[in-house]
Amino acid sequence: MPSITVARTECRRYLRGKTPWIVGIVFVLLTWDGISAQPTEEEIRILGDAVTLLSAQNSVLVVVPFAAAALAFRSIIGERESGTARITLGTKLSRHRLVLETMFGRGTALLVPVVASTLLVVGYDAVQYGRFSLALLLGLVLLSTVYVFVWMGLLVGISAMSSSTTRAVAIGSLVTTVFFLWNDLTAPVLWNFVTGTTPGTELAYPALFEAAKWVSPFSAYNVVASWLFGAPLGPEVPLSQVADAFNDAGEFVPADPPLPSWSGAVFLLSWPVVSLVAGIMSFQRTDLAPHNSTRLRALFHRFPVPALPGGRGLRKAGATLSGLLPGSWQPLARREFRRLVRSPLVWVVGALVFLDGIISLSPEVYVQEALGSSVPLAAVQRPIMAIAAIGVLFGTFRSVVRERDTGRIRLTAGTAVSRTESLLGFVLGRASAFAVPVFAAVLLTCLIAGPQYGLVPAGELVAFLALTFLFLVVMAGIGVAISTVLRSQSVAGFAAMVFVVVSIMWQFVANTVYEVVTGTAVTGFNPPENLLYVLLRWLPPGSLYNVATNYIIDVPNSGAISSLVISHLQPNRISNAVVVRISYGTDVPVWYLHPSVGLVGLLLWFVVPLGLSALVHRRRSVD
């Protein structure tokens, strides 16, 4: 049967590559690096033989979604873009069988290293604890198998309904990140938006909120694993569920679960079913060759971008300035700018920045009093640092690798533009395209806020916009560097997603790195005396952008957004945001914590990745 041939081919293709080895190595390293806490004697007594499965279960929980993303992003859309789907479907194979067999083939390729690593880790822990249960091991292997195909089905369905690799990577990364942060961030934010309350003593409908935390695949997998291991049911890992069941007196008193145990299995299985059905229905109706112009894109091409007052003079001035700059990258930058500025992506990013800025124009009274006319700049600080940064990254990670895949890079290589200048053209052209709607969002937000807060000082606004442009250039440089160094669009998209997730979780990562290096456990609530910890917290580009823009709008020195910093200054308010003045008594305790470090750090984030990628690009064949 041709369908079996497709599944077999997909499985063999990836088993013969590097992916299984990388997945297995990461799996074992995460286990031995202490991703799961060590159980106490009382917890071992309660869990029994299941204690030998905890490390493997935690590694499966974390590794599988991101490994599935690397394999599934281009599973269907990549076949359409390359034309392979048209050849494959020229046989008796139907479209829905192509989607399903691709999912089963790639899922099996991922399952092999996951099961092998699970057996290795469980065997090691069985020797360490002197316990073992074959029935529990078989149950974990079966649950891990289901979990692998859950994520593979979810992401293959997204690939099937996407019209380009960029959209498949963006949507898949968003879904994976939202589910990964479901318990700690996504669910509380959604609950606050719907009910106006946050988790705590005043939480509305607490039982319903606890049930909502079971919805994500991560949580559902933990619920089923807790049932298998005999731990209290809940959305956290089984060991955490056991630890949380102990009261202040040290007695084991598990709380009643908000839903029956089988609900976890229902939530777990529903996500791939919904995604695959939607993906197959979309794939059945669309042309095999993905169109570059969807309805929204066609709308942008039909109606030109409105001319701004003085726009012709600005264009002439920009052309004159670009002609004075050294190098031959300007034509390539103009091409990339024109190509991207008419795409829906940049304008959607600008619209989201504007909407978030408008929503944030009514902060607490003490924030309004502290910022005065700078409130609109503080309002757009967060969406630029988050939404615009992610948009630029996903708008650039394919810039070079796609040119290489399509062969268009030969046209550029045949001109007078050097390879280093071509990378510079990609970066500045695409960053400028995103800067247009982002600047418009900032200016409109300031205009709307003018009657209430007054006009933003011109010097402050210009400095803020200049730093914002530098930040967009930095993110574009990172995206282009990823696209240059990596040879596959799928791997480049996966790398972009990992960069976003690590940036979001950087507070936890920084605390872990500091603990590993110094042997001292720290948190933002109680930062150490070593000032290098603050510098470590400032390391991501988003934090450096906050440091520099906080200085512009006269907010105390910190890598957090301005409203959170001001809130941290109020009596009886605590947060894990490190405000240098509060923690160390002054805004600049040492020279390397001066706010100008934010600007220097952003420049380094531009120079280092772009320099390394230029070195790779010069030595690599254009094919």
Side-chain angles (χ1 to χ4, degrees):
M1 294 177 62
S3 59
I4 297 178
T5 303
V6 170
R8 187 188 302 120
T9 301
E10 292 292 318
C11 181
R12 287 177 177 175
R13 185 204 308 181
Y14 286 97
L15 282 179
R16 291 172 179 171
K18 302 176 183 177
T19 304
W21 297 99
I22 295 175
V23 172
I25 291 172
V26 171
F27 191 105
V28 174
L29 288 178
L30 284 177
T31 302
W32 290 345
D33 195 39
I35 187 176
S36 57
Q38 295 299 315
T40 63
E41 292 184 2
E42 186 65 19
E43 291 166 348
I44 292 175
R45 183 188 65 79
I46 294 173
L47 290 169
D49 293 337
V51 71
T52 60
L53 309 177
L54 295 177
S55 297
Q57 186 263 337
N58 284 352
S59 294
V60 170
L61 175 72
V62 176
V63 171
V64 166
F66 297 100
L71 294 181
F73 276 153
R74 300 191 72 233
S75 55
I76 303 300
I77 186 59
E79 300 293 301
R80 291 173 59 196
E81 290 179 338
S82 65
T84 308
R86 188 177 295 276
I87 299 174
T88 304
L89 293 173
T91 64
K92 295 181 180 180
L93 185 67
S94 63
R95 295 194 183 193
H96 74 276
R97 295 291 294 183
L98 174 63
V99 174
L100 293 176
E101 294 300 333
T102 299
M103 184 267 292
F104 280 114
R106 299 196 181 199
T108 304
L110 176 58
L111 181 63
V112 171
V114 169
V115 171
S117 302
T118 298
L119 296 177
L120 177 64
V121 171
V122 172
Y124 175 83
D125 286 346
V127 174
Q128 181 181 7
Y129 290 105
R131 295 170 173 265
F132 179 72
S133 172
L134 180 60
L136 288 177
L137 175 60
L138 293 177
L140 178 62
V141 170
L142 177 60
L143 177 58
S144 300
T145 301
V146 173
Y147 190 61
V148 166
F149 286 104
V150 163
W151 277 103
M152 192 61 67
L154 175 62
L155 295 170
V156 168
I158 291 175
S159 180
M161 70 178 75
S162 300
S163 59
S164 69
T165 295
T166 300
R167 293 189 182 185
V169 171
I171 298 173
S173 299
L174 177 63
V175 169
T176 305
T177 305
V178 164
F179 283 148
F180 185 68
L181 301 174
W182 184 263
N183 291 339
D184 298 326
L185 181 63
T186 309
V189 169
L190 292 177
W191 205 257
N192 184 29
F193 179 77
V194 174
T195 66
T197 61
T198 56
T201 56
E202 299 180 358
L203 178 67
Y205 313 109
L208 187 58
F209 176 75
E210 291 300 320
K213 293 171 68 174
W214 287 29
V215 170
S216 79
F218 287 95
S219 301
Y221 173 72
N222 283 331
V223 169
V224 179
S226 296
W227 172 81
L228 176 66
F229 297 168
L233 299 183
E236 304 295 337
V237 294
L239 183 59
S240 297
Q241 294 296 138
V242 172
D244 292 342
F246 285 96
N247 59 20
D248 295 335
E251 299 174 342
F252 183 67
V253 185
D256 294 331
L259 295 172
S261 58
W262 52 263
S263 301
V266 172
F267 288 133
L268 187 63
L269 297 175
S270 62
W271 288 109
V273 172
V274 172
S275 179
L276 285 171
V277 169
I280 290 172
M281 291 177 61
S282 175
F283 189 39
Q284 294 279 18
R285 295 193 302 265
T286 190
D287 190 4
L288 289 179
H291 294 289
N292 290 328
S293 295
T294 59
R295 293 180 181 178
L296 184 58
R297 184 184 293 271
L299 204 61
F300 277 86
H301 281 282
R302 181 176 301 177
F303 300 102
V305 178
L308 297 175
R312 181 175 300 179
L314 289 175
R315 285 194 295 271
K316 289 182 178 179
T320 303
L321 179 61
S322 65
L324 296 175
L325 294 176
S328 306
W329 51 267
Q330 295 90 350
L332 180 59
R334 285 195 293 269
R335 186 198 73 182
E336 292 300 306
F337 173 82
R338 291 168 181 168
R339 176 187 297 174
L340 199 59
V341 79
R342 291 183 177 273
S343 71
L345 174 64
V346 297
W347 296 99
V348 169
V349 168
L352 292 176
V353 170
F354 174 67
L355 290 175
D356 197 334
I358 292 299
I359 293 173
S360 304
L361 278 180
S362 299
E364 289 80 357
V365 175
Y366 55 81
V367 175
Q368 299 179 27
E369 293 176 349
L371 293 176
S373 60
S374 300
V375 167
L377 297 184
V380 296
Q381 186 185 36
R382 180 183 62 185
I384 290 174
M385 185 265 294
I387 299 172
I390 295 174
V392 172
L393 192 63
F394 285 124
T396 53
F397 80 91
R398 295 177 67 202
S399 53
V400 177
V401 69
R402 193 181 184 205
E403 295 283 307
R404 185 184 299 116
D405 289 346
T406 59
R408 288 185 299 199
I409 196 171
R410 286 185 171 274
L411 301 177
T412 304
T415 65
V417 183
S418 68
R419 297 196 178 186
T420 302
E421 289 174 339
S422 67
L423 296 184
L424 189 62
F426 279 118
V427 171
L428 295 180
R430 293 187 170 241
S432 300
F434 279 96
V436 172
V438 171
F439 280 15
V442 174
L443 295 175
L444 286 174
T445 304
C446 293
L447 186 63
I448 293 174
Q452 181 177 0
Y453 300 107
L455 294 178
V456 179
E460 188 175 307
L461 179 60
V462 170
F464 186 89
L465 292 176
L467 268 173
T468 298
F469 181 72
L470 174 60
F471 178 61
L472 298 179
V473 169
V474 167
M475 296 308 300
I478 294 172
V480 170
I482 291 173
S483 181
T484 305
V485 173
L486 301 176
R487 294 178 177 270
S488 167
Q489 295 186 48
S490 297
V491 178
F494 174 72
M497 182 189 69
V498 170
F499 185 88
V500 170
V501 173
V502 171
S503 298
I504 293 174
M505 299 183 62
W506 184 251
Q507 291 183 2
F508 170 77
V509 174
N511 293 340
T512 303
V513 170
Y514 187 87
E515 181 179 357
V516 170
V517 173
T518 65
T520 304
V522 294
T523 65
F525 296 102
N526 186 24
E529 295 182 0
N530 191 341
L531 296 171
L532 291 176
Y533 171 74
V534 181
L535 199 62
L536 181 64
R537 288 282 294 261
W538 287 5
L539 189 58
S543 298
L544 294 171
Y545 174 75
N546 287 339
V547 171
T549 51
N550 282 343
Y551 179 74
I552 290 175
I553 59 180
D554 198 23
V555 171
N557 196 8
S558 177
I561 58 174
S562 55
S563 59
L564 184 59
V565 174
I566 296 173
S567 175
H568 195 53
L569 295 174
Q570 306 307 307
N572 301 322
R573 295 292 185 99
I574 60 172
S575 72
N576 59 355
V578 178
V579 180
V580 179
R581 178 186 300 177
I582 295 178
S583 301
Y584 303 102
T586 177
D587 274 339
V588 188
V590 289
W591 64 269
Y592 56 79
L593 290 185
H594 192 275
S596 61
V597 170
L599 177 61
V600 175
L602 287 176
L603 292 174
L604 289 175
W605 268 108
F606 173 72
V607 172
V608 174
L610 197 63
L612 293 176
S613 61
L615 184 64
V616 172
H617 195 41
R618 285 200 303 266
R619 297 182 177 183
R620 180 179 291 175
S621 171
V622 295
D623 296 325

